[in-house]
Amino acid sequence: MPETSVAPAAGRDAVLRAAGIPAVDLDALLARQRDPLLFATVSGAHLYGFPSRDSDVDLRGVHLLPVADLVGLREPAETRTLMGEHDGVETDLVTHDLRKFVRLLLRRNGYVLEQLLSPLVVHSTPVHEELVALAPGLFTSHHAHHYRGFAGTQWRLFEKTGELKPLLYTLRVLLTGIHLMATGRLVAHLPTLAGGPDAPAYVPELVAAKEAAEHGPTGDLVPPDRLRADIEALHARLDAAQAATALPDAPAGRDALHDLVVRARLDGAAAGG
């Protein structure tokens, strides 16, 4: 089983509390994962900086399937979901086997990169630390397509429901994509991005309004015509940032990631996994 390397629980919990995560027993949910867990981080609204008082706690991570599951005739379930409720707070843990997760990383998937680089770490190992170290080499100009597509999906949902949540997701992913193209750094935290030159001035007001309810309405906080114009402008800025970015077309580190998957799997087998 991979060696565990985590921050002291008190320090970890202080970071989680500061992000608005309730004091629930997340370790109990992690303990239900039957295969070795390589990392688990908090994703969703807590990572993005706009949780509501009734937000679920979304954990994402990677587990390590035993060799026997991969070399036999049965197709293994590479993705696993565990749900729970602790003190009235809904929690869920979604993990991929290491090989599947690495393949997703190489497909220019910004969502899994955000999970990997989340500062809200609940569980870590040396394999996690190696993945984090390799992550900057995975950023490409094509990650703009991921954020552009996600923004379009969330904007259509906002137009249908009028809820703050999809609006904030739309703003967040566009600003994340612009920042990544311009700087080569991945920032998923909307309040941090709101301090940049590309963010509309009303973003902090929207974040504050969402705190009251996970599915609260936007109401008349921002005129619809202004919202539409600002979203169109952010799409144009993302296009321009992609055209000017210094990020490469293809990810680097494929061989290093391959070696890491092989080492982790063989180490797991040697430990009886």
Side-chain angles (χ1 to χ4, degrees):
M1 183 178 296
E3 176 188 355
T4 298
S5 173
V6 297
R12 179 200 71 176
D13 290 347
V15 172
L16 298 180
R17 296 296 87 72
I21 298 166
V24 296
D25 186 5
L26 298 178
D27 291 326
L29 182 62
L30 302 187
R32 292 169 53 196
Q33 170 61 261
R34 64 177 180 268
D35 294 316
L37 190 64
L38 299 180
F39 79 83
T41 61
V42 177
S43 184
H46 291 98
L47 172 61
Y48 307 142
F50 46 80
S52 305
R53 288 194 290 269
D54 54 347
S55 289
D56 298 347
V57 179
D58 299 320
L59 301 179
R60 301 292 182 265
V62 168
H63 62 268
L64 189 68
L65 285 172
V67 172
D69 282 16
L70 300 172
V71 299
L73 297 179
R74 301 184 185 93
E75 288 296 324
E78 293 185 291
T79 299
R80 189 171 295 151
T81 300
L82 297 171
M83 310 292 290
E85 181 177 330
H86 303 273
D87 300 324
V89 178
E90 296 288 339
T91 60
D92 67 85
L93 170 65
V94 179
T95 61
H96 301 298
D97 175 63
L98 176 61
R99 182 176 63 176
K100 178 177 181 178
F101 185 79
V102 168
R103 286 174 171 168
L104 290 171
L105 288 175
L106 290 169
R107 290 175 190 163
R108 302 153 182 163
N109 186 315
Y111 186 52
V112 293
L113 273 168
E114 291 168 4
Q115 295 167 12
L116 174 61
L117 297 175
S118 170
L120 305 177
V121 178
V122 180
H123 177 83
S124 183
T125 66
V127 174
H128 177 220
E129 294 169 2
E130 286 194 53
L131 286 170
V132 169
L134 291 168
L138 302 175
F139 300 151
T140 73
S141 61
H142 295 286
H143 279 89
H145 299 307
H146 167 85
Y147 288 108
R148 188 180 294 112
F150 192 12
T153 299
Q154 291 298 311
W155 178 251
R156 289 190 291 274
L157 182 59
F158 166 70
E159 289 188 311
K160 180 179 179 181
T161 66
E163 291 184 357
L164 272 168
K165 184 176 180 178
L167 175 58
L168 287 171
Y169 268 84
T170 303
L171 291 164
R172 199 283 295 177
V173 296
L174 287 169
L175 290 169
T176 292
I178 293 166
H179 190 269
L180 177 60
M181 294 300 107
T183 69
R185 293 185 294 110
L186 186 63
V187 177
H189 190 253
L190 183 56
T192 298
L193 294 163
D198 295 305
Y202 50 74
V203 169
E205 183 180 0
L206 297 180
V207 171
K210 184 181 177 292
E211 184 179 358
E214 180 73 1
H215 298 286
T218 302
D220 57 359
L221 290 172
V222 185
D225 290 346
R226 182 179 177 187
L227 274 180
R228 191 170 296 106
D230 286 344
I231 295 301
E232 290 175 358
L234 287 173
H235 272 283
R237 289 176 197 170
L238 178 56
D239 293 344
Q242 182 182 13
T245 188
L247 291 174
D249 288 336
R254 180 180 294 269
D255 289 343
L257 286 167
H258 169 80
D259 291 344
L260 176 56
V261 173
V262 171
R263 281 189 286 111
R265 193 81 70 197
L266 294 180
D267 287 348

